Amino acid sequence: MSLASQVLNYLWPGSSSSSSSSSPLGWPDGHGVGKMLVSHAGTSPNVDPMAKTTVVIDGENRSPYSHCMLAGGLGGTTGDMLMHSLDTVKTRQQGDPHYPPKYTSMSSSYATIFKQEGVRRGLYGGVYPALLGSFSGTVIFFGTYEWTKRNMIDKGVNAQLAYFCGGLVADLAASVVYVPSEVLKTRLQLQGRHNNPFFSSGYNYRSTLDAARTIVRTEGVTALYYGYKATLFRDLPFSALQFAFYEQGQTWAKEWVGSRHIGLPLEILTGAAAGGLAGVMTCPLDVVKTRIQTQVNPTENKSSTDHTTRRSEKSPAKTARHASGSSQSGRQTRPISTSSPSTTVTKPGAATLDTSSVITGLRLIYKTEGVSGWFRGIGPRFVWTSVQSTTMLVLYQILLRRMEEHPLVWSS
């Protein structure tokens, strides 16, 4: 008896005889996909893809889109909130305009921010736009991912390719929401509290709403999408790889256990492995993105910082524009990262990447630092991506099962 037959027999006794078209793994094999639909209402060849009850298609469990979006939103937001303090510390390290920098190692940076600024305004500065952007972004992501994946599989596309493309398309769709929220979050993280006496960042917003209004008024709406291209260059491949690895890991785990409920240990393992492996493989993109967005010319940094301080006393709005990356007098600019935290810190004395091209940047780093330069910060990146991925995906599966047992919506 195939795994799909076992799963169907477990869920609906007597239904195993109708699932012979499943692949050995219990997942679509590309032949006859979509021919057999089993739902709580019975067997039907034409089930509405927006159905409000869980369906199984050739052994693949398909929850309603509303369940996937809500579970994904809650799971993703929880993961992002858990890692927010790490995000803040990395933002301070990357965006510190002082030379020598005030924030160096991870532990000392945590201690300094906590002691001087506390949790709410310090380590969790910018949490409101992060919360809003994370929830709305992951809701869009999981809805788009499931829709893309299911439609591709139903059209006979290879399952692994469907998972990869699903992650790619989903991140692209979600970026329209999460990039502006990341810009707001990053600036508020770098600023800390209003009139912060411990750290001068060039930003001084009173609140999230004040930050949004000020940016739009002084820099234009396009400033909310600063770093959009660089963000996509790194995050799209990461999401595509993460979900391709995750879906394959889930498939192997379900085959090994013999049930679609694989248990918490395997849920944690598949989530951590997917995020960690994707993080390691995209580490070079993370490094070059960080270097391009945060590099500063050491020989000119001191005069640049003094100039910024004098300007801030005269015009905070102009200082904000300067700190966000506008070019002044031909000086090299220093925009900060505006997506999920880049977990690499530039090596002291590293070559300056006088380019905005990711490909050219990768070549320069390889030429001057070798392969090791591509994977600087790989340890912290592996930890961050694996923990965030585990939290998001484990909660996603738990919430889906809870919603399946206690549906939030019913058919009319």
Side-chain angles (χ1 to χ4, degrees):
M1 181 183 293
S2 69
L3 175 60
S5 300
Q6 296 177 40
V7 173
L8 290 177
N9 190 53
Y10 170 76
L11 292 174
W12 297 281
S15 64
S16 59
S17 61
S18 63
S19 58
S20 60
S21 61
S22 301
S23 68
L25 295 181
W27 288 79
D29 59 5
H31 303 287
V33 175
K35 290 181 180 179
M36 183 60 65
L37 304 179
V38 182
S39 70
H40 295 301
T43 303
S44 170
N46 296 303
V47 174
D48 183 357
M50 296 300 289
K52 297 180 180 180
T53 55
T54 301
V55 299
V56 174
I57 300 182
D58 282 352
E60 178 190 4
N61 185 64
R62 292 187 175 184
S63 299
Y65 284 111
S66 58
H67 289 187
C68 294
M69 295 169 74
L70 182 57
L74 293 174
T77 302
T78 302
D80 288 341
M81 294 300 100
L82 179 66
M83 305 302 291
H84 188 84
S85 59
L86 173 61
D87 190 0
T88 299
V89 172
K90 298 306 295 185
T91 298
R92 290 288 183 94
Q93 289 181 325
Q94 294 171 358
D96 189 351
H98 305 91
Y99 191 82
K102 178 179 180 179
Y103 303 107
T104 52
S105 69
M106 181 66 67
S107 58
S108 65
S109 298
Y110 258 106
T112 299
I113 297 174
F114 175 75
K115 181 180 179 180
Q116 295 181 342
E117 304 174 50
V119 175
R120 169 65 186 85
R121 297 290 184 180
L123 292 173
Y124 273 78
V127 70
Y128 291 140
L131 180 65
L132 295 174
S134 177
F135 182 75
S136 58
T138 47
V139 164
I140 294 172
F141 180 94
F142 277 91
T144 305
Y145 173 75
E146 289 294 331
W147 184 87
T148 304
K149 176 188 75 173
R150 296 176 188 184
N151 276 275
M152 292 184 70
I153 289 176
D154 289 348
K155 288 177 169 47
V157 176
N158 176 269
Q160 283 300 317
L161 181 59
Y163 304 148
F164 185 89
C165 293
L168 205 70
V169 174
D171 198 276
L172 179 62
S175 66
V176 177
V177 173
Y178 76 71
V179 169
S181 71
E182 291 284 349
V183 171
L184 292 172
K185 180 205 71 175
T186 303
R187 292 195 182 192
L188 291 170
Q189 284 177 315
L190 192 62
Q191 166 190 308
R193 68 188 191 188
H194 182 59
N195 292 327
N196 191 345
F198 304 105
F199 184 71
S200 177
S201 64
Y203 303 119
N204 197 28
Y205 306 114
R206 296 180 181 276
S207 64
T208 300
L209 184 59
D210 177 60
R213 288 174 174 172
T214 302
I215 292 172
V216 172
R217 183 178 66 252
T218 61
E219 304 174 52
V221 177
T222 55
L224 293 174
Y225 286 89
Y226 182 78
Y228 188 69
K229 181 179 179 180
T231 298
L232 294 184
F233 209 102
R234 182 192 67 176
D235 288 356
L236 262 63
F238 172 81
S239 294
L241 290 169
Q242 178 188 24
F243 277 81
F245 292 150
Y246 178 68
E247 295 278 14
Q248 185 60 59
Q250 286 276 306
T251 299
W252 288 338
K254 290 172 183 177
E255 179 190 29
W256 186 63
V257 172
S259 168
R260 68 187 182 93
H261 298 299
I262 62 176
L264 184 59
L266 285 177
E267 292 285 6
I268 293 174
L269 179 61
T270 54
L277 286 173
V280 168
M281 292 181 67
T282 56
C283 190
L285 298 175
D286 180 53
V287 171
V288 72
K289 175 183 180 293
T290 302
R291 292 277 292 273
I292 290 174
Q293 289 194 310
T294 65
Q295 64 185 343
V296 69
N297 191 332
T299 61
E300 296 176 357
N301 186 57
K302 188 176 184 304
S303 61
S304 174
T305 303
D306 294 341
H307 182 67
T308 301
T309 303
R310 289 194 299 271
R311 285 169 56 87
S312 64
E313 297 173 355
K314 298 179 181 180
S315 175
K318 291 183 179 179
T319 302
R321 285 196 297 272
H322 171 75
S324 66
S326 57
S327 180
Q328 299 288 341
S329 304
R331 224 178 11 252
Q332 185 178 2
T333 58
R334 189 188 193 194
I336 55 180
S337 176
T338 55
S339 65
S340 56
S342 300
T343 48
T344 176
V345 178
T346 304
K347 179 181 179 181
T352 298
L353 303 184
D354 189 19
T355 179
S356 60
S357 168
V358 174
I359 300 300
T360 302
L362 286 171
R363 290 175 179 171
L364 289 173
I365 292 175
Y366 177 76
K367 182 178 180 181
T368 57
E369 302 172 47
V371 175
S372 62
W374 282 353
F375 291 92
R376 178 165 297 278
I378 191 173
R381 179 163 175 78
F382 175 81
V383 171
W384 193 95
T385 54
S386 59
V387 172
Q388 196 277 342
S389 177
T390 299
T391 305
M392 176 180 70
L393 295 172
V394 169
L395 282 177
Y396 175 68
Q397 293 294 344
I398 292 175
L399 289 171
L400 278 183
R401 286 195 293 271
R402 292 292 297 173
M403 292 176 190
E404 181 181 337
E405 296 169 0
H406 307 284
L408 299 178
V409 291
W410 294 268
S411 300
S412 57

